[in-house]
Amino acid sequence: KGFEKKALDIAFVGTPAVSLLAPVATKDTVAIWLVNFAVVVGAYGFAYLTYNQDQEEGGDDGGSSSDGGKNTPSWLKFVYKSLDFGSGRERGARS
């Protein structure tokens, strides 16, 4: 939990997109690797700077407890929940 989970969620969506779209612009693997690295660093920076301590208590919906996740778009909540394997909700035990 914490800002790292949010950063990894963003990076998990961002790096495949970069890996699939970057070869259109360049075939240089070093450049593509550096762009992927920048996405991961940017995801960690964004998550760290926008992290709210209340998110720990707010649940797994990607929103804080104070706003009930209303600031997070529903499509993004779906993506985050789809990526959230192994969070103790195995075998259909979602609440």
Side-chain angles (χ1 to χ4, degrees), residues 39-53:
V39 167
V40 172
V41 169
Y44 270 87
F46 175 78
Y48 181 75
L49 293 174
T50 62
Y51 178 68
N52 185 354
Q53 203 64 14

Side-chain angles (χ1 to χ4, degrees), residues 5-43:
K5 181 183 180 320
K6 183 176 180 179
L8 290 174
D9 286 345
I10 294 168
F12 191 78
V13 172
T15 55
V18 167
S19 294
L20 292 173
L21 297 175
V24 172
T26 181
K27 303 293 185 214
D28 184 16
T29 56
V30 173
I32 295 170
W33 189 92
L34 289 172
V35 172
N36 273 316
F37 181 73
V39 167
V40 172
V41 169

